[in-house]
């Protein structure tokens, strides 16, 4: 197959990303993990599923980086997950070491790759990847916004008898509890959410969206969400490989947008073959700008804790 996507971290999110990706038949896949035998076992199992769905995809599992050589896209989802009561930021120090190593190894093998980063705290880890790989910002994108927006869409769908296809939601900001679900730009068939739903219900949906990751962590007890995060990665991978110029919410390096600089932060980006083609800026209301500033302050604070 023409394209190669390497996924670093073959845990719940990495392996499920491989699963959705193999189903789409858009790239060969390499799964890398430190656990001996595990990425090889998952890759072989998935490879053995291909004849049933008639997809010609090569899937390789490995404990080293050799097979990732010349990847078009590197997905980094290696690292620790939250336990109940933990915030994403509590993971910073341990995951920074894991992401640093994954970046050093992958950029050596695939100097032209585009990076999709997932490891939490997401916006900080995307920043670290950019620094360690020494790449221009358009080559690194963090996955958070598609997931957070999909959660909001799912919650709206639970209230209205309308197809999810008609429900468009946009969540900006850092991938933490301060994220900013937009209630006016989000819409159902073009009608703004704040004109459809009563304020109290809309407020509850915004709150549930912000805490959406924690809700799953509390239910699972061990580990965190993986189905929705990994299909979000596949949407990004597909947009890049197919050069779709797709506009989605994602974490990108900001250089003045919304008055913010030198952080990765959730905004609307246009994705194509070169990675982030542009950042699309909304004209936000003053209360939304205020919320964005608050979220950005928290991301900037965490980013400053990185040892570069
Ligand atoms: O939307 C998002 N950004 C996220 C982020 C959605 C889902 C998961 N998100 C984060 O990704 C989560 O907070 C964690 O920081 C990572 C991985 O989550 P996952 O749910 O996949 O966790 P697992 O199942 O524990 O898998 C992690 C794997 C595990 O198999 C480890 O052995 C492996 O990471 N690991 C490594 N692989 C390669 N190299 C190194 N150094 C390494 N260290 C651990």
């Amino acid at each position: 197959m023409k394209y190669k996507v390497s996924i670093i971290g073959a845990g719940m999110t990495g392996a499920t990303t491989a699963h959705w990706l193999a189903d789409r038949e858009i790239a060969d896949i390499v799964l890398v993990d430190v656990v001996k035998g595990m990425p090889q076992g998952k890759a072989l199992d998935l490879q053995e599923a291909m004849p049933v769905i008639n997809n010609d995809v090569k899937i390789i599992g490995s404990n080293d980086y050799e097979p990732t050589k010349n990847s078009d896209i590197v997905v980094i989802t290696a690292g620790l997950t939250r336990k109940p009561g933990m915030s994403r930021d509590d993971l910073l120090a341990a995951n920074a070491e894991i992401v640093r190593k994954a970046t050093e190894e992958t950029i050596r093998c695939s100097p032209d790759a585009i990076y999709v980063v997932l490891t939490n705290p997401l916006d900080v880890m995307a920043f670290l990847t950019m620094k360690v790989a020494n790449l221009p910002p358009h080559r690194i994108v963090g996955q958070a916004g598609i997931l957070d927006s999909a959660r909001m869409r799912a919650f709206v769908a639970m209230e209205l008898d309308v197809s999810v296809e008609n429900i468009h939601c946009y969540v900006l900001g850092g991938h933490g509890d301060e994220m900013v679900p937009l209630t006016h730009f989000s819409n159902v068939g073009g009608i703004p959410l704040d004109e459809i739903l009563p304020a109290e219900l809309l407020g509850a949906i915004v709150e549930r969206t912000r805490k959406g990751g924690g809700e799953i962590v509390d239910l699972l007890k061990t580990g965190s969400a993986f189905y929705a995060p990994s299909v979000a990665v596949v949407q990004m991978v597909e947009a890049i490989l197919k050069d779709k110029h797709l506009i989605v919410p994602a974490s990108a390096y900001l250089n003045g947008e919304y008055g913010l600089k030198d952080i990765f932060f959730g905004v609307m980006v246009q994705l194509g073959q070169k990675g982030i083609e542009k950042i699309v800026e909304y004209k936000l209301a003053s209360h939304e700008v205020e919320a964005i500033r608050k979220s950005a302050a928290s991301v900037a604070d965490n980013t400053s804790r990185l040892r570069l």
Side-chain angles (χ1 to χ4, degrees):
M1 192 168 286
K2 199 164 153 217
Y3 296 116
K4 189 198 274 192
V5 175
S6 289
I7 302 169
I8 317 307
M12 298 307 289
T13 307
T16 312
T17 300
H19 179 188
W20 291 109
L21 202 55
D23 192 47
R24 301 276 174 103
E25 204 182 23
I26 47 176
D28 289 333
I29 300 164
V30 181
L31 272 172
V32 177
D33 203 285
V34 284
V35 178
K36 298 268 176 271
M38 184 269 268
Q40 293 86 342
K42 288 187 179 179
L44 182 58
D45 187 14
L46 194 52
Q47 187 73 76
E48 290 165 358
M50 292 303 103
V52 183
I53 58 170
N54 294 322
N55 280 2
D56 291 305
V57 177
K58 283 199 200 82
I59 307 139
I60 294 170
S62 175
N63 298 120
D64 66 63
Y65 285 82
E66 262 333 273
T68 70
K69 265 208 156 102
N70 299 323
S71 296
D72 298 282
I73 297 184
V74 172
V75 177
I76 299 188
T77 187
L80 309 180
T81 58
R82 287 195 279 168
K83 305 208 167 41
M86 274 173 95
S87 78
R88 293 178 179 90
D89 301 338
D90 294 332
L91 303 169
L92 197 143
N95 281 353
E97 285 323 300
I98 293 172
V99 169
R100 180 187 300 279
K101 167 102 163 81
T103 304
E104 285 167 354
E105 296 282 352
T106 47
I107 195 66
R108 187 175 52 76
C109 295
S110 306
D112 298 325
I114 288 168
Y115 281 79
V116 179
V117 180
L118 273 94
T119 305
N120 274 318
L122 181 268
D123 304 284
V124 183
M125 293 303 131
F127 186 92
L128 178 66
T129 299
M130 180 184 79
K131 290 289 177 191
V132 172
N134 195 20
L135 288 178
H138 68 87
R139 298 258 305 271
I140 296 111
V141 59
Q143 191 307 114
I146 297 177
L147 167 67
D148 297 327
S149 304
R151 284 184 173 142
M152 188 171 174
R153 292 172 69 191
F155 300 148
V156 171
M158 288 172 195
E159 298 298 333
L160 302 175
D161 203 13
V162 177
S163 165
V164 284
E165 278 188 61
N166 293 127
I167 302 174
H168 307 284
C169 291
Y170 305 100
V171 178
L172 305 188
H175 188 48
D177 295 349
E178 314 273 359
M179 69 180 74
V180 187
L182 298 180
T183 52
H184 191 69
F185 285 93
S186 299
N187 66 81
V188 180
I191 304 174
L193 265 196
D194 57 4
E195 290 176 20
I196 292 182
L197 293 171
E200 202 174 312
L201 180 54
L202 188 52
I205 288 174
V206 164
E207 246 347 83
R208 192 172 178 194
T209 301
R210 286 190 163 138
K211 309 247 166 73
E215 184 178 2
I216 307 264
V217 169
D218 289 343
L219 288 166
L220 293 178
K221 310 279 190 309
T222 56
S224 53
F226 52 95
Y227 290 118
S230 50
V231 81
V233 176
V234 171
Q235 186 178 37
M236 296 170 89
V237 166
E238 198 165 20
I240 295 166
L241 293 181
K242 292 187 177 172
D243 199 21
K244 281 175 76 98
H245 317 297
L246 181 74
I247 298 173
V248 288
S251 185
Y253 183 75
L254 299 191
N255 190 19
E257 295 83 359
Y258 298 106
L260 304 170
K261 263 188 176 208
D262 206 29
I263 51 169
F264 268 76
F265 195 66
V267 291
M268 298 302 287
V269 302
Q270 185 173 309
L271 292 181
Q273 207 141 42
K274 78 185 251 285
I276 297 179
E277 298 175 328
K278 64 173 160 189
I279 292 175
V280 179
E281 234 179 306
Y282 288 139
K283 285 197 181 108
L284 298 175
S286 60
H287 70 278
E288 292 166 329
V289 172
E290 190 58 33
I292 289 280
R293 296 244 160 90
K294 195 168 164 211
S295 173
S298 147
V299 173
D301 184 46
N302 274 323
T303 306
S304 71
R305 287 165 56 202
L306 273 177
R307 269 189 245 120
L308 290 168

